Amino acid sequence: MSQEIERKFLVTGEGWRALAPAVTYRQGYLSLDKERTVRVRTAGERAYLCVKGITRGCTRLEFEYEIPMADALEMLEKLAIRPIIEKNRTRAEVNGRIWEIDEFFGENAGLVIAEVELPDETVPLVKPDWIGKEVSDDPRYYNACLQSAPYASWPENQPKDH
């Protein structure tokens, strides 16, 4: 059985940008069922199909398989639910942990989230100085939710009438 134990945080400042080069990701969902999601993703020159179970705390089942790029592109074009999520991912080791920082574009522009996978939900975590508020328990920040309710549509991100 494959498990993912992941914590998510908002990113503050720009200190993370110099850590490593970013890779462009495009991903679309083939299923957004509450109990499971099925995602197709391109990451640079590689492509993946991923099935994830429901999140309990910071843990969920996850199965990911590399697939041919041509298959991924066709699934994104012909099968994926719109909109497609587009982001740049910076992956870097900081304080002994691998952090993935996602800077979103399109309908999620303005959102930057850092994720760190852990061997156990209770493991102590030393956070880099560019880490802000933890959002692990807020489902709005899951990529599958960002697909159906993009960051730009959130009430707090709407223009205010003066």
Side-chain angles (χ1 to χ4, degrees):
M1 181 176 353
S2 181
Q3 279 192 358
E4 174 184 60
I5 301 170
E6 179 179 81
R7 290 177 64 187
K8 291 178 180 275
F9 301 86
L10 296 178
V11 173
T12 60
E14 302 290 319
W16 58 275
R17 290 193 186 274
L19 295 175
V23 174
T24 299
Y25 279 55
R26 292 184 70 232
Q27 65 188 45
Y29 289 86
L30 308 180
S31 171
L32 288 170
D33 185 282
K34 184 180 178 189
E35 298 292 320
R36 72 205 52 79
T37 60
V38 180
R39 174 190 74 208
V40 62
R41 167 190 280 173
T42 63
E45 300 300 315
R46 301 177 89 170
Y48 303 89
L49 187 65
C50 183
V51 179
K52 292 187 180 193
I54 193 166
T55 302
R56 287 178 173 56
C58 295
T59 305
R60 64 182 163 185
L61 292 176
E62 178 183 59
F63 303 91
E64 185 170 70
Y65 308 96
E66 190 163 358
I67 62 172
M69 178 64 79
D71 290 357
L73 293 174
E74 189 166 9
M75 284 187 249
L76 284 170
E77 176 66 27
K78 296 179 179 173
L79 299 176
I81 301 164
R82 298 290 188 244
I84 300 296
I85 292 189
E86 298 175 279
K87 60 188 177 181
N88 279 345
R89 173 168 284 176
T90 300
R91 191 170 191 275
E93 183 175 341
V94 181
N95 299 325
R97 299 269 177 231
I98 300 295
W99 288 85
E100 294 177 337
I101 304 99
D102 290 341
E103 179 179 24
F104 291 84
F105 302 106
E107 295 186 45
N108 291 297
L111 180 60
V112 182
I113 297 176
E115 301 174 347
V116 61
E117 287 196 27
L118 302 168
D120 173 314
E121 283 193 38
T122 62
V123 73
L125 181 62
V126 177
K127 297 177 221 162
D129 61 2
W130 38 265
I131 290 296
K133 175 185 172 189
E134 183 163 6
V135 294
S136 299
D137 294 332
D138 188 340
R140 296 181 306 163
Y141 292 97
Y142 298 169
N143 280 276
C145 291
L146 290 170
Q147 186 283 324
S148 56
Y151 186 66
S153 72
W154 297 3
E156 61 267 34
N157 297 329
Q158 298 301 306
K160 307 288 186 259
D161 291 334
H162 291 104

Short mmCIF file of all heavy atoms in Angstrom, two decimals, residues 54-119:
data_model
loop_
_atom_site.label_atom_id
_atom_site.label_comp_id
_atom_site.label_asym_id
_atom_site.label_seq_id
_atom_site.Cartn_x
_atom_site.Cartn_y
_atom_site.Cartn_z
N ILE A 54 -9.12 9.47 -0.36
CA ILE A 54 -9.58 10.57 0.49
C ILE A 54 -8.51 10.89 1.54
O ILE A 54 -7.82 10.00 2.03
CB ILE A 54 -10.95 10.22 1.12
CG1 ILE A 54 -11.58 11.46 1.73
CG2 ILE A 54 -10.81 9.11 2.15
CD1 ILE A 54 -13.05 11.27 2.07
N THR A 55 -8.38 12.17 1.88
CA THR A 55 -7.40 12.61 2.87
C THR A 55 -8.00 12.50 4.26
O THR A 55 -9.11 12.95 4.51
CB THR A 55 -6.97 14.06 2.59
OG1 THR A 55 -6.41 14.13 1.28
CG2 THR A 55 -5.94 14.53 3.60
N ARG A 56 -7.23 11.89 5.16
CA ARG A 56 -7.59 11.81 6.57
C ARG A 56 -6.43 12.40 7.35
O ARG A 56 -5.34 11.81 7.36
CB ARG A 56 -7.85 10.37 6.98
CG ARG A 56 -9.17 9.84 6.41
CD ARG A 56 -9.41 8.37 6.78
NE ARG A 56 -10.70 7.83 6.43
CZ ARG A 56 -11.26 7.79 5.24
NH1 ARG A 56 -10.67 8.34 4.24
NH2 ARG A 56 -12.44 7.22 5.05
N GLY A 57 -6.65 13.58 7.96
CA GLY A 57 -5.55 14.31 8.59
C GLY A 57 -4.64 14.82 7.49
O GLY A 57 -5.08 15.59 6.64
N CYS A 58 -3.41 14.37 7.48
CA CYS A 58 -2.45 14.73 6.41
C CYS A 58 -2.08 13.51 5.58
O CYS A 58 -1.11 13.54 4.84
CB CYS A 58 -1.19 15.33 7.04
SG CYS A 58 -1.44 16.88 7.89
N THR A 59 -2.85 12.41 5.68
CA THR A 59 -2.49 11.14 5.05
C THR A 59 -3.56 10.69 4.07
O THR A 59 -4.75 10.86 4.31
CB THR A 59 -2.32 10.06 6.15
OG1 THR A 59 -1.37 10.52 7.10
CG2 THR A 59 -1.84 8.75 5.56
N ARG A 60 -3.10 10.09 2.96
CA ARG A 60 -4.03 9.48 2.00
C ARG A 60 -3.28 8.45 1.18
O ARG A 60 -2.05 8.47 1.08
CB ARG A 60 -4.65 10.53 1.10
CG ARG A 60 -3.68 11.25 0.21
CD ARG A 60 -4.40 12.28 -0.60
NE ARG A 60 -3.48 13.25 -1.15
CZ ARG A 60 -3.85 14.31 -1.81
NH1 ARG A 60 -5.13 14.54 -2.00
NH2 ARG A 60 -2.97 15.14 -2.29
N LEU A 61 -4.02 7.53 0.57
CA LEU A 61 -3.42 6.58 -0.36
C LEU A 61 -3.07 7.30 -1.64
O LEU A 61 -3.82 8.19 -2.10
CB LEU A 61 -4.39 5.44 -0.67
CG LEU A 61 -4.71 4.49 0.48
CD1 LEU A 61 -5.75 3.48 0.03
CD2 LEU A 61 -3.45 3.79 0.94
N GLU A 62 -1.95 6.91 -2.25
CA GLU A 62 -1.54 7.51 -3.51
C GLU A 62 -0.81 6.47 -4.35
O GLU A 62 0.07 5.77 -3.86
CB GLU A 62 -0.60 8.70 -3.27
CG GLU A 62 -0.11 9.32 -4.57
CD GLU A 62 0.89 10.44 -4.34
OE1 GLU A 62 1.95 10.18 -3.72
OE2 GLU A 62 0.61 11.56 -4.77
N PHE A 63 -1.21 6.36 -5.63
CA PHE A 63 -0.57 5.47 -6.58
C PHE A 63 -0.26 6.29 -7.83
O PHE A 63 -1.17 6.86 -8.43
CB PHE A 63 -1.50 4.30 -6.92
CG PHE A 63 -1.93 3.53 -5.70
CD1 PHE A 63 -3.09 3.89 -5.02
CD2 PHE A 63 -1.17 2.48 -5.23
CE1 PHE A 63 -3.49 3.20 -3.89
CE2 PHE A 63 -1.56 1.78 -4.09
CZ PHE A 63 -2.72 2.15 -3.42
N GLU A 64 1.01 6.34 -8.22
CA GLU A 64 1.41 7.16 -9.37
C GLU A 64 2.27 6.33 -10.31
O GLU A 64 3.15 5.59 -9.86
CB GLU A 64 2.18 8.40 -8.90
CG GLU A 64 2.51 9.34 -10.04
CD GLU A 64 3.05 10.67 -9.54
OE1 GLU A 64 4.18 10.69 -9.03
OE2 GLU A 64 2.32 11.66 -9.67
N TYR A 65 1.99 6.48 -11.62
CA TYR A 65 2.68 5.70 -12.64
C TYR A 65 3.10 6.60 -13.79
O TYR A 65 2.31 7.42 -14.27
CB TYR A 65 1.74 4.61 -13.18
CG TYR A 65 1.13 3.79 -12.07
CD1 TYR A 65 -0.13 4.09 -11.55
CD2 TYR A 65 1.83 2.73 -11.50
CE1 TYR A 65 -0.68 3.36 -10.51
CE2 TYR A 65 1.29 1.99 -10.46
CZ TYR A 65 0.03 2.32 -9.96
OH TYR A 65 -0.50 1.60 -8.93
N GLU A 66 4.33 6.42 -14.26
CA GLU A 66 4.77 7.16 -15.43
C GLU A 66 4.07 6.59 -16.66
O GLU A 66 3.90 5.36 -16.78
CB GLU A 66 6.29 7.08 -15.60
CG GLU A 66 6.79 8.04 -16.65
CD GLU A 66 8.29 8.29 -16.57
OE1 GLU A 66 8.97 7.77 -15.68
OE2 GLU A 66 8.77 9.05 -17.44
N ILE A 67 3.64 7.49 -17.54
CA ILE A 67 2.96 7.10 -18.78
C ILE A 67 3.60 7.83 -19.96
O ILE A 67 4.32 8.81 -19.76
CB ILE A 67 1.44 7.40 -18.72
CG1 ILE A 67 1.18 8.91 -18.56
CG2 ILE A 67 0.78 6.60 -17.61
CD1 ILE A 67 -0.29 9.30 -18.67
N PRO A 68 3.36 7.38 -21.18
CA PRO A 68 3.91 8.08 -22.35
C PRO A 68 3.36 9.52 -22.44
O PRO A 68 2.17 9.76 -22.19
CB PRO A 68 3.44 7.24 -23.54
CG PRO A 68 3.16 5.88 -22.97
CD PRO A 68 2.66 6.14 -21.58
N MET A 69 4.24 10.44 -22.79
CA MET A 69 3.85 11.85 -22.92
C MET A 69 2.70 12.03 -23.90
O MET A 69 1.77 12.79 -23.64
CB MET A 69 5.06 12.70 -23.35
CG MET A 69 4.74 14.17 -23.55
SD MET A 69 4.23 15.04 -22.04
CE MET A 69 5.81 15.31 -21.27
N ALA A 70 2.73 11.32 -25.03
CA ALA A 70 1.65 11.46 -26.02
C ALA A 70 0.29 11.08 -25.41
O ALA A 70 -0.72 11.74 -25.67
CB ALA A 70 1.94 10.60 -27.25
N ASP A 71 0.26 10.05 -24.57
CA ASP A 71 -0.98 9.66 -23.91
C ASP A 71 -1.45 10.76 -22.97
O ASP A 71 -2.64 11.10 -22.92
CB ASP A 71 -0.81 8.36 -23.13
CG ASP A 71 -0.62 7.14 -24.03
OD1 ASP A 71 -0.68 7.28 -25.27
OD2 ASP A 71 -0.41 6.04 -23.47
N ALA A 72 -0.52 11.30 -22.18
CA ALA A 72 -0.88 12.36 -21.23
C ALA A 72 -1.43 13.58 -21.96
O ALA A 72 -2.45 14.15 -21.54
CB ALA A 72 0.33 12.75 -20.40
N LEU A 73 -0.79 13.98 -23.04
CA LEU A 73 -1.25 15.16 -23.78
C LEU A 73 -2.65 14.93 -24.36
O LEU A 73 -3.49 15.83 -24.32
CB LEU A 73 -0.25 15.53 -24.88
CG LEU A 73 1.11 16.02 -24.38
CD1 LEU A 73 2.07 16.21 -25.54
CD2 LEU A 73 0.98 17.28 -23.54
N GLU A 74 -2.90 13.72 -24.85
CA GLU A 74 -4.23 13.43 -25.39
C GLU A 74 -5.29 13.42 -24.29
O GLU A 74 -6.39 13.94 -24.45
CB GLU A 74 -4.23 12.10 -26.15
CG GLU A 74 -5.52 11.87 -26.90
CD GLU A 74 -5.43 10.74 -27.91
OE1 GLU A 74 -4.42 10.00 -27.94
OE2 GLU A 74 -6.40 10.61 -28.68
N MET A 75 -4.95 12.86 -23.12
CA MET A 75 -5.89 12.86 -21.99
C MET A 75 -6.16 14.29 -21.53
O MET A 75 -7.32 14.63 -21.23
CB MET A 75 -5.34 12.02 -20.84
CG MET A 75 -5.46 10.53 -21.07
SD MET A 75 -4.97 9.62 -19.58
CE MET A 75 -3.45 8.89 -20.13
N LEU A 76 -5.12 15.12 -21.45
CA LEU A 76 -5.32 16.52 -21.05
C LEU A 76 -6.23 17.25 -22.04
O LEU A 76 -7.10 18.02 -21.65
CB LEU A 76 -3.98 17.25 -20.94
CG LEU A 76 -3.14 16.95 -19.70
CD1 LEU A 76 -1.74 17.54 -19.83
CD2 LEU A 76 -3.83 17.47 -18.45
N GLU A 77 -6.03 16.97 -23.30
CA GLU A 77 -6.80 17.64 -24.35
C GLU A 77 -8.24 17.14 -24.44
O GLU A 77 -9.17 17.92 -24.56
CB GLU A 77 -6.09 17.47 -25.69
CG GLU A 77 -6.83 18.05 -26.87
CD GLU A 77 -6.94 19.57 -26.84
OE1 GLU A 77 -6.06 20.22 -26.24
OE2 GLU A 77 -7.92 20.10 -27.38
N LYS A 78 -8.42 15.81 -24.36
CA LYS A 78 -9.73 15.24 -24.68
C LYS A 78 -10.54 14.73 -23.49
O LYS A 78 -11.75 14.55 -23.63
CB LYS A 78 -9.53 14.10 -25.68
CG LYS A 78 -8.96 14.57 -27.01
CD LYS A 78 -8.75 13.44 -27.96
CE LYS A 78 -8.21 13.96 -29.29
NZ LYS A 78 -7.85 12.86 -30.19
N LEU A 79 -9.91 14.46 -22.36
CA LEU A 79 -10.63 13.84 -21.25
C LEU A 79 -10.67 14.68 -19.97
O LEU A 79 -11.57 14.51 -19.15
CB LEU A 79 -10.01 12.47 -20.90
CG LEU A 79 -10.05 11.41 -22.00
CD1 LEU A 79 -9.31 10.16 -21.53
CD2 LEU A 79 -11.47 11.08 -22.39
N ALA A 80 -9.69 15.53 -19.78
CA ALA A 80 -9.56 16.24 -18.51
C ALA A 80 -10.66 17.29 -18.32
O ALA A 80 -11.08 17.97 -19.25
CB ALA A 80 -8.20 16.91 -18.41
N ILE A 81 -11.12 17.38 -17.07
CA ILE A 81 -12.09 18.39 -16.67
C ILE A 81 -11.41 19.75 -16.72
O ILE A 81 -10.26 19.88 -16.30
CB ILE A 81 -12.62 18.07 -15.25
CG1 ILE A 81 -13.26 16.67 -15.22
CG2 ILE A 81 -13.58 19.14 -14.77
CD1 ILE A 81 -13.45 16.11 -13.82
N ARG A 82 -12.09 20.74 -17.22
CA ARG A 82 -11.54 22.09 -17.31
C ARG A 82 -11.83 22.90 -16.06
O ARG A 82 -12.85 22.66 -15.43
CB ARG A 82 -12.11 22.82 -18.54
CG ARG A 82 -11.76 22.15 -19.85
CD ARG A 82 -10.29 22.33 -20.13
NE ARG A 82 -9.90 21.87 -21.44
CZ ARG A 82 -9.08 20.85 -21.66
NH1 ARG A 82 -8.59 20.16 -20.67
NH2 ARG A 82 -8.74 20.51 -22.87
N PRO A 83 -10.98 23.83 -15.68
CA PRO A 83 -9.74 24.23 -16.33
C PRO A 83 -8.58 23.31 -15.94
O PRO A 83 -8.62 22.64 -14.92
CB PRO A 83 -9.50 25.64 -15.78
CG PRO A 83 -10.09 25.61 -14.41
CD PRO A 83 -11.29 24.68 -14.52
N ILE A 84 -7.56 23.30 -16.78
CA ILE A 84 -6.32 22.59 -16.51
C ILE A 84 -5.52 23.42 -15.50
O ILE A 84 -5.49 24.66 -15.60
CB ILE A 84 -5.50 22.41 -17.81
CG1 ILE A 84 -6.29 21.62 -18.86
CG2 ILE A 84 -4.14 21.78 -17.53
CD1 ILE A 84 -6.60 20.21 -18.48
N ILE A 85 -4.90 22.77 -14.55
CA ILE A 85 -4.05 23.47 -13.59
C ILE A 85 -2.65 23.61 -14.18
O ILE A 85 -2.08 22.62 -14.66
CB ILE A 85 -4.01 22.74 -12.24
CG1 ILE A 85 -5.39 22.83 -11.61
CG2 ILE A 85 -2.92 23.29 -11.34
CD1 ILE A 85 -5.49 22.36 -10.21
N GLU A 86 -2.15 24.83 -14.15
CA GLU A 86 -0.81 25.12 -14.65
C GLU A 86 -0.01 25.76 -13.53
O GLU A 86 -0.51 26.66 -12.84
CB GLU A 86 -0.88 26.04 -15.85
CG GLU A 86 -1.64 25.41 -17.02
CD GLU A 86 -1.82 26.36 -18.17
OE1 GLU A 86 -2.73 27.19 -18.10
OE2 GLU A 86 -1.01 26.26 -19.11
N LYS A 87 1.24 25.30 -13.37
CA LYS A 87 2.07 25.82 -12.30
C LYS A 87 3.53 25.54 -12.60
O LYS A 87 3.85 24.66 -13.41
CB LYS A 87 1.68 25.20 -10.96
CG LYS A 87 1.83 23.68 -10.91
CD LYS A 87 1.25 23.12 -9.64
CE LYS A 87 1.33 21.60 -9.58
NZ LYS A 87 0.74 21.07 -8.37
N ASN A 88 4.40 26.29 -11.94
CA ASN A 88 5.81 25.97 -11.92
C ASN A 88 6.12 25.39 -10.56
O ASN A 88 5.65 25.90 -9.54
CB ASN A 88 6.68 27.22 -12.15
CG ASN A 88 6.78 27.59 -13.60
OD1 ASN A 88 6.47 26.79 -14.48
ND2 ASN A 88 7.24 28.79 -13.87
N ARG A 89 6.88 24.30 -10.55
CA ARG A 89 7.26 23.66 -9.29
C ARG A 89 8.76 23.77 -9.09
O ARG A 89 9.54 23.41 -9.98
CB ARG A 89 6.84 22.20 -9.27
CG ARG A 89 7.37 21.46 -8.03
CD ARG A 89 6.74 20.12 -7.85
NE ARG A 89 5.38 20.31 -7.32
CZ ARG A 89 4.53 19.31 -7.12
NH1 ARG A 89 4.87 18.06 -7.40
NH2 ARG A 89 3.32 19.56 -6.64
N THR A 90 9.13 24.25 -7.93
CA THR A 90 10.53 24.28 -7.51
C THR A 90 10.68 23.23 -6.43
O THR A 90 9.93 23.23 -5.45
CB THR A 90 10.90 25.67 -6.95
OG1 THR A 90 10.68 26.64 -7.98
CG2 THR A 90 12.33 25.72 -6.49
N ARG A 91 11.61 22.32 -6.63
CA ARG A 91 11.81 21.21 -5.69
C ARG A 91 13.21 21.35 -5.11
O ARG A 91 14.19 21.36 -5.85
CB ARG A 91 11.67 19.90 -6.44
CG ARG A 91 11.58 18.68 -5.59
CD ARG A 91 11.20 17.47 -6.46
NE ARG A 91 10.87 16.34 -5.64
CZ ARG A 91 11.77 15.48 -5.16
NH1 ARG A 91 13.03 15.64 -5.43
NH2 ARG A 91 11.38 14.47 -4.40
N ALA A 92 13.29 21.46 -3.76
CA ALA A 92 14.59 21.70 -3.14
C ALA A 92 14.66 21.09 -1.75
O ALA A 92 13.65 21.01 -1.04
CB ALA A 92 14.85 23.19 -3.05
N GLU A 93 15.85 20.67 -1.36
CA GLU A 93 16.07 20.17 -0.01
C GLU A 93 16.41 21.34 0.90
O GLU A 93 17.31 22.14 0.61
CB GLU A 93 17.19 19.14 0.02
CG GLU A 93 17.38 18.54 1.41
CD GLU A 93 18.41 17.43 1.46
OE1 GLU A 93 18.74 16.86 0.41
OE2 GLU A 93 18.88 17.15 2.57
N VAL A 94 15.68 21.44 2.01
CA VAL A 94 15.90 22.48 3.01
C VAL A 94 15.75 21.83 4.38
O VAL A 94 14.74 21.16 4.64
CB VAL A 94 14.89 23.64 2.87
CG1 VAL A 94 15.15 24.73 3.90
CG2 VAL A 94 14.90 24.22 1.47
N ASN A 95 16.73 22.01 5.24
CA ASN A 95 16.70 21.45 6.60
C ASN A 95 16.43 19.94 6.59
O ASN A 95 15.70 19.43 7.43
CB ASN A 95 15.64 22.16 7.46
CG ASN A 95 15.92 23.64 7.62
OD1 ASN A 95 17.07 24.06 7.69
ND2 ASN A 95 14.87 24.44 7.67
N GLY A 96 17.01 19.24 5.63
CA GLY A 96 16.88 17.78 5.58
C GLY A 96 15.59 17.25 5.01
O GLY A 96 15.36 16.03 5.01
N ARG A 97 14.71 18.11 4.53
CA ARG A 97 13.43 17.69 3.95
C ARG A 97 13.33 18.22 2.51
O ARG A 97 13.82 19.30 2.20
CB ARG A 97 12.26 18.26 4.74
CG ARG A 97 12.22 17.82 6.15
CD ARG A 97 11.38 16.55 6.28
NE ARG A 97 11.42 16.10 7.65
CZ ARG A 97 11.72 14.87 8.02
NH1 ARG A 97 11.98 13.96 7.11
NH2 ARG A 97 11.73 14.53 9.28
N ILE A 98 12.63 17.47 1.66
CA ILE A 98 12.37 17.93 0.29
C ILE A 98 11.09 18.75 0.31
O ILE A 98 10.02 18.26 0.70
CB ILE A 98 12.22 16.76 -0.69
CG1 ILE A 98 13.50 15.92 -0.72
CG2 ILE A 98 11.85 17.26 -2.09
CD1 ILE A 98 14.72 16.63 -1.26
N TRP A 99 11.20 20.01 -0.11
CA TRP A 99 10.06 20.92 -0.21
C TRP A 99 9.73 21.10 -1.69
O TRP A 99 10.63 21.21 -2.53
CB TRP A 99 10.41 22.28 0.39
CG TRP A 99 10.51 22.26 1.88
CD1 TRP A 99 11.61 21.91 2.62
CD2 TRP A 99 9.48 22.59 2.80
NE1 TRP A 99 11.31 22.00 3.95
CE2 TRP A 99 10.02 22.41 4.09
CE3 TRP A 99 8.16 23.00 2.66
CZ2 TRP A 99 9.28 22.65 5.24
CZ3 TRP A 99 7.42 23.24 3.80
CH2 TRP A 99 7.97 23.07 5.08
N GLU A 100 8.43 21.10 -2.00
CA GLU A 100 7.95 21.39 -3.35
C GLU A 100 7.14 22.67 -3.27
O GLU A 100 6.13 22.72 -2.57
CB GLU A 100 7.11 20.22 -3.88
CG GLU A 100 7.92 18.97 -4.06
CD GLU A 100 7.12 17.77 -4.53
OE1 GLU A 100 5.89 17.75 -4.31
OE2 GLU A 100 7.73 16.87 -5.12
N ILE A 101 7.61 23.69 -3.98
CA ILE A 101 6.95 24.99 -3.97
C ILE A 101 6.26 25.17 -5.31
O ILE A 101 6.91 25.11 -6.36
CB ILE A 101 7.94 26.14 -3.72
CG1 ILE A 101 8.71 25.91 -2.41
CG2 ILE A 101 7.21 27.47 -3.67
CD1 ILE A 101 10.07 25.33 -2.58
N ASP A 102 4.93 25.33 -5.28
CA ASP A 102 4.13 25.48 -6.49
C ASP A 102 3.66 26.91 -6.64
O ASP A 102 2.97 27.44 -5.77
CB ASP A 102 2.91 24.55 -6.45
CG ASP A 102 3.27 23.09 -6.59
OD1 ASP A 102 4.38 22.79 -7.07
OD2 ASP A 102 2.44 22.24 -6.22
N GLU A 103 4.04 27.52 -7.76
CA GLU A 103 3.56 28.86 -8.13
C GLU A 103 2.55 28.67 -9.25
O GLU A 103 2.90 28.23 -10.35
CB GLU A 103 4.72 29.73 -8.59
CG GLU A 103 4.30 31.11 -9.00
CD GLU A 103 5.46 31.99 -9.42
OE1 GLU A 103 6.51 31.45 -9.84
OE2 GLU A 103 5.30 33.21 -9.36
N PHE A 104 1.30 28.99 -8.97
CA PHE A 104 0.20 28.72 -9.89
C PHE A 104 0.01 29.85 -10.90
O PHE A 104 0.32 31.01 -10.63
CB PHE A 104 -1.10 28.50 -9.11
CG PHE A 104 -1.09 27.23 -8.31
CD1 PHE A 104 -0.52 27.19 -7.05
CD2 PHE A 104 -1.64 26.06 -8.82
CE1 PHE A 104 -0.50 26.01 -6.32
CE2 PHE A 104 -1.62 24.89 -8.10
CZ PHE A 104 -1.06 24.87 -6.83
N PHE A 105 -0.57 29.48 -12.05
CA PHE A 105 -0.88 30.42 -13.12
C PHE A 105 -2.34 30.28 -13.52
O PHE A 105 -3.08 29.52 -12.91
CB PHE A 105 0.03 30.17 -14.33
CG PHE A 105 1.49 30.28 -13.96
CD1 PHE A 105 2.27 29.15 -13.85
CD2 PHE A 105 2.06 31.50 -13.69
CE1 PHE A 105 3.60 29.23 -13.48
CE2 PHE A 105 3.40 31.61 -13.33
CZ PHE A 105 4.17 30.47 -13.23
N GLY A 106 -2.75 30.99 -14.55
CA GLY A 106 -4.12 30.89 -15.03
C GLY A 106 -5.10 31.34 -13.97
O GLY A 106 -4.91 32.37 -13.32
N GLU A 107 -6.15 30.54 -13.75
CA GLU A 107 -7.21 30.91 -12.79
C GLU A 107 -6.77 30.79 -11.33
O GLU A 107 -7.51 31.17 -10.43
CB GLU A 107 -8.44 30.05 -13.05
CG GLU A 107 -9.05 30.34 -14.42
CD GLU A 107 -10.35 29.62 -14.63
OE1 GLU A 107 -11.19 29.62 -13.72
OE2 GLU A 107 -10.53 29.07 -15.73
N ASN A 108 -5.56 30.29 -11.11
CA ASN A 108 -5.01 30.19 -9.75
C ASN A 108 -3.81 31.10 -9.56
O ASN A 108 -3.07 30.96 -8.58
CB ASN A 108 -4.65 28.73 -9.44
CG ASN A 108 -5.89 27.87 -9.30
OD1 ASN A 108 -6.71 28.10 -8.42
ND2 ASN A 108 -6.04 26.91 -10.20
N ALA A 109 -3.61 32.05 -10.48
CA ALA A 109 -2.48 32.98 -10.39
C ALA A 109 -2.52 33.73 -9.07
O ALA A 109 -3.59 34.08 -8.56
CB ALA A 109 -2.52 33.96 -11.56
N GLY A 110 -1.33 33.95 -8.52
CA GLY A 110 -1.21 34.65 -7.24
C GLY A 110 -1.05 33.72 -6.06
O GLY A 110 -0.68 34.14 -4.97
N LEU A 111 -1.31 32.44 -6.27
CA LEU A 111 -1.20 31.45 -5.19
C LEU A 111 0.15 30.76 -5.26
O LEU A 111 0.56 30.27 -6.32
CB LEU A 111 -2.33 30.42 -5.32
CG LEU A 111 -2.37 29.32 -4.27
CD1 LEU A 111 -2.53 29.90 -2.86
CD2 LEU A 111 -3.49 28.34 -4.58
N VAL A 112 0.84 30.71 -4.12
CA VAL A 112 2.11 29.98 -4.01
C VAL A 112 2.00 29.12 -2.75
O VAL A 112 1.78 29.64 -1.65
CB VAL A 112 3.33 30.92 -3.92
CG1 VAL A 112 4.62 30.11 -3.87
CG2 VAL A 112 3.36 31.88 -5.10
N ILE A 113 2.14 27.80 -2.93
CA ILE A 113 2.01 26.83 -1.84
C ILE A 113 3.27 25.98 -1.77
O ILE A 113 3.81 25.57 -2.80
CB ILE A 113 0.80 25.90 -2.06
CG1 ILE A 113 -0.50 26.67 -2.07
CG2 ILE A 113 0.75 24.80 -1.00
CD1 ILE A 113 -1.70 25.81 -2.39
N ALA A 114 3.71 25.67 -0.55
CA ALA A 114 4.82 24.74 -0.35
C ALA A 114 4.27 23.48 0.31
O ALA A 114 3.44 23.56 1.21
CB ALA A 114 5.90 25.37 0.53
N GLU A 115 4.76 22.34 -0.15
CA GLU A 115 4.36 21.05 0.42
C GLU A 115 5.60 20.30 0.84
O GLU A 115 6.66 20.41 0.20
CB GLU A 115 3.64 20.20 -0.64
CG GLU A 115 2.42 20.83 -1.22
CD GLU A 115 1.82 20.03 -2.36
OE1 GLU A 115 2.49 19.10 -2.88
OE2 GLU A 115 0.69 20.32 -2.75
N VAL A 116 5.48 19.54 1.91
CA VAL A 116 6.57 18.69 2.35
C VAL A 116 5.98 17.35 2.73
O VAL A 116 4.96 17.29 3.41
CB VAL A 116 7.37 19.33 3.52
CG1 VAL A 116 6.50 19.56 4.74
CG2 VAL A 116 8.61 18.53 3.84
N GLU A 117 6.57 16.27 2.21
CA GLU A 117 6.12 14.92 2.56
C GLU A 117 6.93 14.46 3.76
O GLU A 117 8.13 14.72 3.87
CB GLU A 117 6.30 13.96 1.39
CG GLU A 117 5.29 14.22 0.30
CD GLU A 117 5.16 13.08 -0.70
OE1 GLU A 117 5.45 11.92 -0.34
OE2 GLU A 117 4.77 13.37 -1.83
N LEU A 118 6.23 13.76 4.66
CA LEU A 118 6.84 13.32 5.91
C LEU A 118 6.64 11.82 6.10
O LEU A 118 5.68 11.25 5.58
CB LEU A 118 6.20 14.07 7.08
CG LEU A 118 6.31 15.60 7.01
CD1 LEU A 118 5.42 16.25 8.04
CD2 LEU A 118 7.76 16.03 7.19
N PRO A 119 7.51 11.18 6.87
CA PRO A 119 7.35 9.75 7.12
C PRO A 119 6.25 9.44 8.12
O PRO A 119 5.78 8.31 8.21
CB PRO A 119 8.72 9.34 7.69
CG PRO A 119 9.28 10.59 8.27
CD PRO A 119 8.75 11.72 7.43
#
